[in-house]
Amino acid sequence: MMATTNNDEEGGGQRRRPRDLLKSYYGITEGSDVAPAASSLCDINGANFDPNVYLSKLLKERSLMELMDKEQEMVKHIKTLDSDMQTLVYENYNKFISATDTIRKMKTDFKKMEDEMDRLATNMSAITEFSGCISAALQDRRQQITKLSGVHTLLKKLQFLFELPARLQKCIEQESYSQAVRYCAKSRKVLHQYQHMPSFHGIQEDVKQIVQQLSFKLREQFRQKNSSPKQLAECVDLLLQLNEPAEELCEEFLSYARQKIDEDLARLEQEIRLLEAQGAASKGPVVADGSVPMDILEFVDCGCNGFLSNICLVIASYNDMFLNRQHEDEQLDAIAVKKLVHFVNELMKQYFDYVRQRVHLEHSTGDNTILVRSLDRFHRRLQAMNKLLPDTDFSRAGTEIVSKAARDRVSHYLLSLMQHLSDCLTDIRQSLASQNLVGKQEDRSANPSALLRKMSSSLTDQIKCVLSNLQTFIDSDITFAMKPYFHSTFCMHDVREGLVVAFIRHILKVSNEFCDGCGDKISAPPALLLILSRFCHDLEQSTIGYLLTLVDDQFLLDDSSKVTSSTELRNEARAAAQRLLNHYVQVQGLTISQMLRKSVETRDCLSSIEPRNVRAVMKRVIEDVTGIDSLVGQLYEEGIRTERTSDSTRRSYTYSNQRQASRSQWSYAPSTMDNSLMSNIQKLFSEKIEIFSKVEFNKVSVLTGIIKISLKTFLECVRLKTFGRYGLQQIQVDTHYLQLYLWRFVSDENLVHLLLDEIVGSAIHRCLDPVTMEPSVIELICERG
């Protein structure tokens, strides 16, 4: 009957097993009497799932295509579940077989255990009966045994007390100081309680002498220089257990702990002195005694693993010994905390000074990776120190050091960029000095456009390289990089304003100094002025916007209200470019004016011979203007010209002859009007020429400005000279030669006509025998010249 019941249970268990597995898979629990919610009836994974409700809901809400897709999805899920079930069965088949064998074996073992348990119950009953007999027999002697046991314990304690001096002495000889202190602590209360008894009083006196000896030994070990902070902490702990004065021990502990920490600081100071000696000698990394200074990362590691680790150990030990001990003296705690804070602040101040000095000396390389890693490690360790000593905040001082190091690197890079700019200008001056840019350039790399491109690309690449190096300060794995008090200040004020904007303004300042003629910039070649003008113009047009956008993107700058705007820098660059271009026009105009002035002042115009050719200085003027035109054309666009007339080379004759005829008429007619007054009246009706007008950023405007200055100087020199007949005719030849070539360089050819005609008119007024040369002869001489 029992076997039949077991077989039925096994069959039922086999039938329920797949069902239980499915319930376990879907998370179904039995025994819930709560009424299912309407939403749970359609939850295919829920315990209350109703297929009819779910199917009707799908038929109402889904289209035919969606139902087909749902069917495929459910078929796929069913296959997946079947596959998972098969895998589960296959993987656990051996376990199922083993479990069946184990259960069968357990049935056999349990039958044996039942027999053994029966025997054990019988034995326990016999033992209980026997124990009751013994207790009844010994009941009268139990109190005596208990009393004897107490006496035995007391005798053992007395034996310990009588042997205590010898044990303490032995512990001292074996240097087992902690064991001796435990003996003293264990016997102190008993000896104090029975000190009125002569025998115990003698033991107490002996123990006091030995304890004094023990305290002396501990203090000797405490004063040893080679003791580690851990050994010092153990000595102080033992002395405190011997009831030594806590305040005195605080001072002694900090005093002797400082000896070890001072050694770490001395090593850091030695490394700084080695590096300073290396910088002073400038003979490489090896100094006089053969020592090699640590790099910045090794220096910080030395400080963290040496100084900071030891001072953290001292703080932790001090807290355990004096602050975390169980006592009720709050005044002692306050004194101990004050001593510790003063001790740590004094040492940390010295450590921070050494770190500042070492970081300040880190200027030999342009790579910031090692420096940033060092500062990050330094910053992390300081944050950990704040947890040990909550009454102080060393992270602020550490952040100031990190910020100062970042600013120093920015200043270093700014100086490097300034030096690079100076080197670029020096290279340009050397290239211009080695080749005459007024004539034809044989070396294409030395022409102004190539020099401008080289300088512009070199400076831009240098700035991009510097920005890339500075990005290491804000990498995501750097702890201080994401701190608001560092990130915003560094990115906005240091990098953008202190580096990029400051360097752009330095470029503009250097460019303006060429116009002021400061220092070595007085003798700057005119071509350099023109190149700088175009460079500042390019800054205003594109480079400034590109650099500011680059730094804003790389350093994630969003708030532009507190920084220098791009428009402000562009206006400054445009003003500098305009000033340089005006200065270039004045310099070149004065150079040509100087030649024309000397050609007039050094010539005897009264006794000149009849002109046969064009003077060489006029040919030189045309050559220089042509060279200037070629030079400016390489850097600036052509510009806008007015429409030219077809008789540009002949207008001067007609106008000059008309002026001469008019003068003759007014000179020889019976009239009292002064000739100079007549000339002034004619000027009132002529077009007014502004000599020093604004120069536009194009070739025509630049050449026009130079030619106006040159011809105006020529005119003023003629007005101060007295001419003979042939001197006047030489002026006619020279001005006609200039007319043949100069009109093509200016924006309006009438400007050249007016100035040249005024030069000839002034020469006629200043001539004693105003007989002009025939136009055909002038033309023949100029063509031959």
Side-chain angles (χ1 to χ4, degrees), residues 238-295:
L238 295 177
L239 289 171
L240 287 173
Q241 293 182 39
L242 294 176
N243 293 329
E244 292 290 331
E247 186 175 352
E248 180 182 347
L249 289 176
C250 288
E251 295 181 356
E252 290 190 13
F253 175 77
L254 295 178
S255 175
Y256 290 111
R258 181 159 186 167
Q259 296 178 2
K260 176 63 177 177
I261 297 177
D262 284 341
E263 294 179 1
D264 298 328
L265 291 175
R267 184 181 181 188
L268 297 179
E269 184 181 11
Q270 181 184 6
E271 291 299 327
I272 295 174
R273 300 296 170 259
L274 285 175
L275 192 61
E276 289 176 346
Q278 169 191 326
S282 300
K283 295 182 179 180
V286 180
V287 294
D289 60 352
S291 301
V292 180
M294 299 178 181
D295 61 25

Side-chain angles (χ1 to χ4, degrees), residues 52-88:
N52 295 326
V53 176
Y54 181 73
L55 181 60
S56 61
K57 183 179 179 181
L58 287 181
L59 292 175
K60 290 177 182 180
E61 297 177 355
R62 305 292 180 90
S63 63
L64 179 59
M65 293 303 296
E66 291 177 342
L67 289 173
M68 295 175 65
D69 294 339
K70 191 65 177 178
E71 179 190 11
Q72 293 179 359
E73 181 182 354
M74 295 182 68
V75 171
K76 184 178 179 181
H77 287 172
I78 291 171
K79 291 181 178 179
T80 302
L81 290 174
D82 291 341
S83 177
D84 293 342
M85 180 62 74
Q86 291 178 4
T87 302
L88 181 64

Side-chain angles (χ1 to χ4, degrees), residues 305-511:
N305 299 330
F307 171 79
L308 289 181
S309 296
N310 286 333
I311 200 171
C312 287
L313 183 58
V314 168
I315 294 172
S317 302
Y318 190 92
N319 289 334
D320 292 338
M321 289 182 295
F322 301 108
L323 301 179
N324 298 334
R325 297 177 63 87
Q326 295 181 356
H327 55 81
E328 298 179 355
D329 192 352
E330 295 182 356
Q331 185 177 2
L332 178 61
D333 283 349
I335 295 175
V337 170
K338 184 177 180 181
K339 290 180 180 294
L340 178 62
V341 170
H342 177 73
F343 171 79
V344 173
N345 285 338
E346 186 177 357
L347 290 174
M348 290 301 294
K349 180 181 179 181
Q350 190 174 359
Y351 173 63
F352 286 149
D353 289 339
Y354 289 152
V355 174
R356 289 190 189 96
Q357 294 179 36
R358 182 60 184 86
V359 172
H360 182 70
L361 294 173
E362 191 66 17
H363 53 73
S364 60
T365 177
D367 188 11
N368 296 320
T369 304
I370 296 179
L371 174 62
V372 173
R373 285 175 56 194
S374 305
L375 295 175
D376 180 57
R377 195 166 298 177
F378 168 73
H379 188 265
R380 289 174 188 265
R381 289 301 299 267
L382 289 182
Q383 288 183 327
M385 275 199 65
N386 288 337
K387 299 178 181 179
L388 283 175
L389 200 61
D391 295 332
T392 58
D393 185 11
F394 298 118
S395 60
R396 179 176 300 178
T399 303
E400 291 177 358
I401 293 176
V402 172
S403 301
K404 179 65 167 55
R407 287 195 299 271
D408 289 345
R409 294 307 294 168
V410 171
S411 301
H412 169 71
Y413 283 128
L414 179 59
L415 293 177
S416 299
L417 289 175
M418 291 178 178
Q419 183 61 42
H420 187 70
L421 173 64
S422 178
D423 295 340
C424 290
L425 295 177
T426 302
D427 293 341
I428 292 176
R429 297 183 74 158
Q430 290 177 352
S431 300
L432 295 175
S434 63
Q435 187 151 356
N436 185 9
L437 294 179
V438 178
K440 295 182 180 180
Q441 288 82 11
E442 296 178 358
D443 186 5
R444 293 183 178 180
S445 63
N447 61 51
S449 59
L451 295 175
L452 174 64
R453 287 194 301 271
K454 181 180 178 181
M455 180 178 71
S456 179
S457 62
S458 178
L459 290 176
T460 303
D461 292 342
Q462 199 73 9
I463 293 175
K464 290 167 67 176
C465 180
V466 167
L467 292 179
S468 177
N469 287 334
L470 289 176
Q471 271 191 296
T472 55
F473 280 94
I474 58 170
D475 286 342
S476 58
D477 58 338
I478 303 302
T479 54
F480 59 79
M482 295 298 109
K483 301 293 182 181
Y485 49 77
F486 174 82
H487 188 273
S488 59
T489 302
F490 174 72
C491 296
M492 186 180 299
H493 298 287
D494 295 342
V495 178
R496 191 186 193 276
E497 297 296 309
L499 180 69
V500 178
V501 175
F503 181 59
I504 292 174
R505 283 181 168 161
H506 174 73
I507 294 175
L508 302 181
K509 178 184 176 183
V510 172
S511 301

